Amino acid sequence: MDIHELPSTNITMECPFTWQLDLKKVCDFCEEDKTLADYTEAPISCYIQMVTFAYIRSMQGKIVAAEELIEKINATWDNIYENVSEQKVYSIDVLMHIKDATAYYIYSMIGKKDKAKEMESKIKDANDFKSDIEKGTIVGCQALATKLLDEKKKNPDISLKLAKLASSYVPNCALWHYVIAECLRMKRRFHNFSANISEEERNEYLKCYKLSESDHSYMCVARLYRESNNWEKCSEMYNSLYLKEPTSLTTRLSLVLFFLSSKDFVKAKDCLDYVEKILPPEKSNKTYYHYLAKYYEKTKNYPKAKENYLKAIGETNNFPADMDYLILIRNTSNSKYDYEVIKHLKSMLNKYKDNKSLIVHIMLTLAITYLFKNKNLKLAADYFLKAIQTNPHDPQLENFQTRFRDVNRYNIFELISSKILTEDEHNYGNTLQELKNHCIQYKNRKENNVSDLLSLSVAETLSLNE
């Protein structure tokens, strides 16, 4: 069977296999880049992530790995069932249906017909889900699955629409308000990192906290104040949470980041020590080592910082830690033209070669390093071209920031036009002409998009006047 061809069923099913998720995003998705939510803190998010991972593995041809997840999903369901049942904002029948429908498709695809038939026999027809809570659970879970795929592209329009629909069905569900708020924040920070927080985003986070009063939603509100530059209120909230002595790993690690940013190293280290105590010795936590490295870097213990960055990166890699390690390299290197930084970035090209989005990021970072620090415009042009050729439509090309160098955000096509295309073509071979062609294509795409939007607006206006 073609892995993208779904088996026929006698009933209507709701699960990632039937939600018409973007197949290109599915095939490009890298599971290793995503940290699974903690089922004790975010049970539904964790559950739907796992179900979506199973679907993604199937669509990527990793059928055995997909089947292995079925048992883990069932175990997670057993762990969260009681908690979810008590909340009265989700349909238990729908959540079980999604799990079983996903298993049905996976069993069908690997040729286990008896198991598939067994699953099908106990699955309730989705056409029978007619209550608001049932409909809200379906579209809300769709929103979670879609958002998972949209996080790299920073374009959560579909997940935002679905989350709003879910919230309209079940207005007292904190999770759907949270998804709305996160989508709005994602859009805001992608399009303009320093843009003011909209009233809608603010209200959605506040609704989420009012309905759940969890530590996580509390921290989201604190972050809201931080991003609104209300440092006093933000600090008050984080310190208040710290005094409650939270037991959650995620909460403690989030507190570490805040206290490091506010240079309260005593509290940051206290939170790190707490995490170290409750982590099982055999369970390596890359985030813990990453933040411990940041602590040592902030307190200028550079050898310990390096040691822990390397632990955080590990053999399976950790891109955020790798990029922060780059900052340490830059700040402790004596090389005049960032040679050590360039060397590390080039080593990262091999480590992350299977992830196009990360490769584009690394190449753009190399290009900007060559352009502004190394003053080598030819190599800058080469890496700009390689990045564009990797994926000419990568959103990073329109809105790129390299955290370790400055706070500026660049439209790469505009940067190339102003800094690179002014050079003498004879010194660059075909590189400048190819870059010029890409810039022209980009400009044409933008103009066509504007034209399409104007045409749509005119058409809508005419239809309203009829």
Side-chain angles (χ1 to χ4, degrees):
M1 175 185 285
D2 184 336
I3 60 170
H4 298 155
E5 181 184 331
L6 299 182
S8 59
T9 65
N10 297 320
I11 60 173
T12 300
M13 295 190 188
E14 290 285 352
C15 69
F17 285 94
T18 64
W19 287 341
Q20 297 182 325
L21 300 174
D22 188 317
L23 197 55
K24 185 178 186 309
K25 292 178 183 177
V26 169
C27 292
D28 290 343
F29 186 83
C30 184
E31 190 177 324
E32 288 73 23
D33 292 342
K34 182 67 184 175
T35 302
L36 188 66
D38 186 334
Y39 76 83
T40 62
E41 297 175 10
I44 300 300
S45 294
C46 173
Y47 180 67
I48 296 302
Q49 278 181 5
M50 293 180 74
V51 169
T52 309
F53 284 165
Y55 160 74
I56 290 170
R57 290 181 184 184
S58 299
M59 292 296 102
Q60 291 179 344
K62 304 170 185 175
I63 305 296
V64 175
E67 185 186 8
E68 288 172 354
L69 257 186
I70 294 175
E71 189 174 335
K72 293 179 181 178
I73 292 167
N74 287 329
T76 299
W77 176 249
D78 291 340
N79 287 327
I80 70 173
Y81 173 79
E82 187 175 348
N83 179 8
V84 172
S85 301
E86 292 171 353
Q87 294 185 43
K88 308 297 183 185
V89 290
Y90 309 108
S91 165
I92 296 300
D93 286 345
V94 167
L95 291 170
M96 290 181 66
H97 171 102
I98 291 170
K99 167 178 71 72
D100 293 339
T102 301
Y104 163 78
Y105 278 109
I106 292 172
Y107 287 138
S108 297
M109 292 171 77
I110 60 178
K112 294 190 174 182
K113 295 181 180 179
D114 290 342
K115 279 199 169 186
K117 191 172 181 180
E118 178 189 338
M119 296 305 302
E120 187 179 18
S121 66
K122 67 177 186 177
I123 295 173
K124 185 177 180 179
D125 194 318
N127 288 328
D128 295 332
F129 296 134
K130 296 177 180 178
S131 72
D132 282 351
I133 284 185
E134 288 170 334
K135 289 187 283 189
T137 304
I138 291 171
V139 292
C141 290
Q142 280 183 263
L144 288 170
T146 307
K147 180 175 174 290
L148 185 67
L149 295 171
D150 285 340
E151 285 174 357
K152 287 290 181 186
K153 303 295 182 183
K154 310 296 183 187
N155 184 25
D157 288 344
I158 297 175
S159 41
L160 177 59
K161 182 179 178 181
L162 289 166
K164 286 184 175 182
L165 181 57
S167 184
S168 72
Y169 285 128
V170 194
N172 61 332
C173 178
L175 179 57
W176 308 148
H177 289 291
Y178 171 75
V179 176
I180 294 170
E182 286 288 287
C183 288
L184 291 169
R185 180 174 182 265
M186 190 190 303
K187 290 184 69 171
R188 167 175 60 85
R189 288 169 67 82
F190 176 72
H191 292 295
N192 184 351
F193 195 78
S194 58
N196 291 330
I197 296 169
S198 69
E199 198 65 28
E200 183 183 16
E201 181 185 337
R202 185 186 309 277
N203 288 339
E204 291 298 333
Y205 275 123
L206 291 173
K207 284 178 190 174
C208 174
Y209 177 61
K210 183 179 179 181
L211 289 165
S212 74
E213 295 189 351
S214 66
D215 286 348
H216 179 71
S217 60
Y218 182 88
M219 284 192 297
C220 287
V221 175
R223 184 182 65 193
L224 198 69
Y225 286 114
R226 187 183 73 209
E227 292 178 359
S228 302
N229 295 322
N230 189 338
W231 299 104
E232 184 178 351
K233 183 64 176 176
C234 167
S235 179
E236 177 190 322
M237 291 187 71
Y238 274 110
N239 278 285
S240 174
L241 182 58
Y242 171 77
L243 292 174
K244 292 179 182 177
E245 300 183 350
T247 57
S248 159
L249 270 177
T250 306
T251 301
R252 286 281 183 162
L253 288 170
S254 296
L255 286 172
V256 170
L257 280 188
F258 170 74
F259 290 131
L260 287 178
S261 68
S262 58
K263 298 184 179 180
D264 192 338
F265 300 129
V266 173
K267 288 176 184 171
K269 188 61 166 65
D270 179 60
C271 289
L272 285 165
D273 289 345
Y274 178 86
V275 172
E276 183 184 25
K277 285 178 187 175
I278 64 173
L279 267 178
E282 71 281 359
K283 187 175 180 181
S284 171
N285 187 299
K286 288 189 172 186
T287 306
Y288 163 72
Y289 288 122
H290 181 184
Y291 292 1
L292 185 60
K294 288 170 76 72
Y295 165 78
Y296 282 123
E297 183 177 7
K298 292 276 189 181
T299 54
K300 303 190 185 308
N301 188 337
Y302 298 130
K304 293 290 286 185
K306 178 179 179 179
E307 175 189 328
N308 283 283
Y309 273 130
L310 293 176
K311 285 182 181 179
I313 295 165
E315 294 181 3
T316 55
N317 302 323
N318 177 345
F319 187 75
D322 238 330
M323 291 304 291
D324 279 344
Y325 181 41
L326 205 59
I327 298 172
L328 177 69
I329 292 172
R330 184 173 184 238
N331 291 340
T332 56
S333 171
N334 294 320
S335 65
K336 186 177 179 182
Y337 296 108
D338 274 0
Y339 289 130
E340 294 297 320
V341 168
I342 290 169
K343 180 181 176 182
H344 186 70
L345 282 166
K346 287 182 176 178
S347 74
M348 289 173 67
L349 284 174
N350 184 56
K351 281 195 285 186
Y352 300 101
K353 61 185 177 183
D354 295 328
N355 188 313
K356 280 188 178 182
S357 178
L358 297 186
I359 288 297
V360 169
H361 189 97
I362 296 165
M363 286 179 172
L364 291 178
T365 304
L366 274 164
I368 286 176
T369 301
Y370 278 122
L371 178 63
F372 291 118
K373 180 68 177 179
N374 205 272
K375 307 297 182 185
N376 189 326
L377 271 64
K378 187 176 187 308
L379 285 174
D382 287 342
Y383 277 102
F384 277 133
L385 181 58
K386 287 177 182 178
I388 294 170
Q389 288 173 333
T390 301
N391 182 2
H393 302 283
D394 193 305
Q396 295 177 92
L397 296 170
E398 291 187 70
N399 193 352
F400 181 74
Q401 181 187 38
T402 172
R403 290 181 301 160
F404 86 99
R405 183 161 299 285
D406 54 41
V407 296
N408 294 327
R409 286 181 170 263
Y410 301 101
N411 180 308
I412 297 301
F413 296 104
E414 293 174 1
L415 186 63
I416 290 168
S417 297
S418 63
K419 300 290 186 182
I420 302 290
L421 296 184
T422 54
E423 295 298 301
D424 185 351
E425 288 190 21
H426 293 95
N427 298 326
Y428 290 77
N430 295 325
T431 302
L432 286 195
Q433 185 57 51
E434 290 187 55
L435 285 173
K436 185 176 181 180
N437 291 340
H438 282 294
C439 289
I440 291 171
Q441 290 168 13
Y442 168 74
K443 184 179 178 182
N444 290 339
R445 284 200 305 272
K446 296 296 286 184
E447 289 175 351
N448 289 337
N449 286 342
V450 170
S451 176
D452 290 344
L453 287 171
L454 287 172
S455 298
L456 181 61
S457 177
V458 170
E460 288 176 343
T461 303
L462 289 172
S463 67
L464 288 172
N465 291 333
E466 287 178 353

